[in-house]
Amino acid sequence: MYWLSVLIFLPLSGALVVGLTGRFSAASVRWIALAITVAELLIALGLWWSASPDSNGYLYIVQAPWIPIMGIQFLLGMDGLSLLLVLLTALLVPIAILVSWNSIRHNWPTFAALVLTTQAGIMGVFLALDLILFYVFWELMLVPMYFLIALWGHERRLYAAYKFFLFTVTGSLLMLVAILGLYFIHGEQTGIYTFNYFELLHTNLPGNTGMWLMLGFFVAFAVKIPLFPIHSWLPDAHTEAPTAGSIILAGLLLKTGAYGLLRFCLPLFPEASVDFAPFAMVLGVIGILYGALLALVQEDMKRLIAYSSISHLGFVVFGIYAWNQEGLHGAMLLMLAHGVTTSAMFAIIGMLEERVDTRLLPCMGGLLAPMPRMGAMLLLFTLSAMGMPGLANFVGEFLVLAGVYQVSAGLAIAGAMGVVASAIYLLWMYQRAMLGELSSEHAWSDLDHREMLILGLLAITVLWLGLYPAPFLNYLQVPASVIIELNTATLVGIEDALRRSD
């Protein structure tokens, strides 16, 4: 299905046109970038509408030779999980363009080119099924994000950009070493040297080899999630990034790490992942509580939401390594819910900053009276982020905790404490920003039509995920079942080996 290629090459081509020609004004570039990203959204919706899975659960496959002498192919595939993440990407990137409409005041051609290149890289990550192709797209999305932070960020933008780049590139290099190790081991066993994901699934990894290779992938994905204790780049990156950068980081780049665990770590290394699961779940619950506790003491709204992301992504890791139907469905659904909810909150914080020229909660207060529409929208997304029933995050968090409870009641109770803490710090944030008396006299302006369009689209998505998640869960059924079957087969194999050793 050539439309998968279009999802990658359309924004990449648009980036080259607007970034290199220098023939367009800032106003023209804004409309060109918006048109390209809206076209991406329409294509993604069309793929969703016409999706029909094959026997392996894949909806679409594209395969063509690329560097055949090394066994590298241009191999793209879309199953239910990648379809929903492609839809999330196609929704949030035009939101990022619209949010930046007035806030980016210089060098729009370069800004738009970097955003479109980032979108191409993220689309490639969610679609690539050749491991070298996946690595190319993984790196492609990092470089433009570095420049988005460094060029359009706030006061400490260079420090935040360097930190982001060093953490992510270090993890990427470890993954590259693991990819090459898997490539050579598979070649020695079969005589076929390939980076084809479907072929590598059948590689036999003796002894501790599987654990070491799995850790190479895991560290790269854990940095991107980000998972405790390799999370410290995220608060700085979020705080210093422009609003569009924060939306893309929170809504999409963090999801590539969780996607990597689901697509590569668990299927390629099932035995090692089973052995590592208890440790990963402990890291997940530490992230939940650690992120929530640090969010409680933040004065900067962006930094507070950044730490809340660490907490919510801990739930995703929690559910993935519970490795049962409820946990996996909850983790996958929470990826979507967090992407929409947190992106909306960063968008609102950016809109507030444009009006009051600060993100500090002590400098706010009483904003609900002069800006009732903004206050209502912020309340909706705050309630969603804290897991209110009927809104997006509730279903995912409930399923994750139900799945973890089947594995460990103690860990499930500890995770539930994170939900309680999130209600405290999010309501505290809302109370300080929106309620009470006005902290200063100002010519306040409420949401305009563009801002209402942005938040309205995200509000509809949040309500849809919360009130009627069935269509999304249906697409996640097959990917979750495949991972559960891998776990079952692995556990049976381990039990058989133990019986033989007895």
Side-chain angles (χ1 to χ4, degrees):
M1 168 60 78
Y2 65 90
W3 287 112
L4 299 188
S5 304
V6 174
L7 286 171
I8 296 169
F9 289 112
L10 176 59
L12 200 57
S13 302
L16 292 173
V17 170
V18 301
L20 298 180
T21 61
R23 297 180 179 179
F24 302 101
S25 65
S28 299
V29 168
R30 284 197 290 261
W31 284 107
I32 291 170
L34 182 62
I36 291 171
T37 54
V38 170
E40 288 275 288
L41 178 58
L42 294 175
I43 293 169
L45 290 171
L47 291 171
W48 189 14
W49 182 263
S50 59
S52 178
D54 63 13
S55 58
N56 295 320
Y58 277 84
L59 310 169
Y60 308 103
I61 292 284
V62 172
Q63 188 169 12
W66 185 20
I67 311 175
I69 194 171
M70 295 183 64
I72 303 174
Q73 304 176 64
F74 186 80
L75 178 59
L76 305 176
M78 177 184 280
D79 64 355
L81 175 60
S82 50
L83 169 62
L84 295 182
L85 290 172
V86 162
L87 282 166
L88 180 66
T89 306
L91 172 65
L92 293 185
V93 178
I95 294 293
I97 295 292
L98 285 169
V99 162
S100 307
W101 207 258
N102 296 325
S103 60
I104 299 299
R105 297 183 175 88
H106 68 277
N107 208 351
W108 249 99
T110 303
F111 175 81
L114 292 171
V115 170
L116 291 172
T117 304
T118 306
Q119 182 180 27
I122 295 170
M123 287 290 190
V125 164
F126 291 144
L127 295 173
L129 292 176
D130 178 282
L131 267 63
I132 289 295
L133 185 65
F134 172 80
Y135 184 78
V136 168
F137 288 127
W138 184 265
E139 294 297 290
L140 179 63
M141 70 181 179
L142 301 182
V143 176
M145 181 54 62
Y146 166 83
F147 286 107
L148 284 172
I149 298 171
L151 296 178
W152 287 276
H154 299 286
E155 292 80 6
R156 300 175 71 244
R157 57 186 179 273
L158 291 178
Y159 167 76
Y162 288 145
K163 195 172 183 180
F164 161 75
F165 196 74
L166 287 174
F167 269 76
T168 52
V169 166
T170 301
S172 299
L173 291 175
L174 291 174
M175 180 172 65
L176 179 60
V177 172
I179 288 171
L180 293 174
L182 190 61
Y183 170 79
F184 285 114
I185 291 172
H186 183 272
E188 291 171 1
Q189 291 179 358
T190 64
I192 301 172
Y193 288 86
T194 180
F195 292 97
N196 185 310
Y197 171 76
F198 299 111
E199 297 290 338
L200 294 175
L201 285 173
H202 305 293
T203 308
N204 180 32
L205 299 171
N208 293 324
T209 304
M211 179 63 74
W212 286 110
L213 293 179
M214 185 276 295
L215 288 174
F217 281 84
F218 179 84
V219 170
F221 301 142
V223 167
K224 193 59 59 63
I225 285 174
L227 189 63
F228 177 89
I230 44 180
H231 65 282
S232 62
W233 65 268
L234 180 70
D236 293 313
H238 270 319
T239 304
E240 303 304 325
T243 302
S246 295
I247 289 172
I248 295 172
L249 269 173
L252 301 174
L253 259 68
L254 305 190
K255 308 308 174 293
T256 62
Y259 172 81
L261 295 178
L262 291 163
R263 177 67 71 221
F264 297 104
C265 268
L266 272 61
L268 289 173
F269 313 102
E271 293 184 12
S273 296
V274 166
D275 294 338
F276 189 72
F279 184 64
M281 291 181 71
V282 169
L283 290 180
V285 78
I286 291 173
I288 292 169
L289 299 175
Y290 175 82
L293 291 174
L294 285 179
L296 282 167
V297 298
Q298 300 305 313
E299 301 286 340
D300 186 317
M301 289 183 75
K302 282 189 83 172
R303 206 166 183 86
L304 187 151
I305 300 303
Y307 279 111
S308 80
S309 292
I310 295 173
S311 182
H312 285 108
L313 269 295
F315 272 102
V316 172
V317 175
F318 215 26
I320 289 172
Y321 282 95
W323 218 330
N324 51 41
Q325 186 176 29
E326 292 83 0
L328 287 168
H329 280 168
M332 294 174 182
L333 198 62
L334 191 55
M335 289 163 66
L336 302 176
H338 175 268
V340 176
T341 301
T342 307
S343 296
M345 297 190 78
F346 276 123
I348 292 174
I349 293 169
M351 295 168 190
L352 276 172
E353 189 174 12
E354 289 180 31
R355 288 164 168 80
V356 301
D357 200 30
T358 184
R359 301 187 307 265
L360 297 178
L361 289 166
C363 300
M364 298 184 190
L367 298 180
L368 181 61
M371 295 186 289
R373 291 195 295 273
M374 182 178 288
M377 284 294 186
L378 181 59
L379 179 61
L380 172 68
F381 297 117
T382 298
L383 293 175
S384 178
M386 60 182 270
M388 179 66 67
L391 298 175
N393 289 46
F394 171 76
V395 180
E397 289 178 356
F398 177 81
L399 287 173
V400 165
L401 291 175
V404 172
Y405 188 82
Q406 299 176 35
V407 178
S408 169
L411 287 177
I413 292 169
M417 294 301 99
V419 178
V420 175
S422 71
I424 296 172
Y425 66 72
L426 287 167
L427 290 176
W428 172 79
M429 177 198 73
Y430 187 85
Q431 184 269 328
R432 296 188 72 185
M434 289 291 160
L435 305 180
E437 296 183 2
L438 276 172
S439 58
S440 63
E441 294 297 329
H442 194 279
W444 303 106
S445 61
D446 208 350
L447 297 176
D448 59 26
H449 295 304
R450 173 180 57 87
E451 293 167 333
M452 281 299 297
L453 173 63
I454 293 168
L455 299 178
L457 289 172
L458 296 174
I460 290 169
T461 308
V462 161
L463 290 168
W464 189 0
L465 282 165
L467 295 173
Y468 187 51
F472 305 96
L473 290 170
N474 289 340
Y475 279 101
L476 297 174
Q477 184 70 42
V478 173
S481 298
V482 169
I483 295 173
I484 292 168
E485 289 170 6
L486 284 170
N487 182 31
T488 303
T490 301
L491 290 174
V492 169
I494 292 172
E495 291 170 357
D496 289 344
L498 290 173
R499 281 196 293 270
R500 286 195 298 271
S501 65
D502 292 340

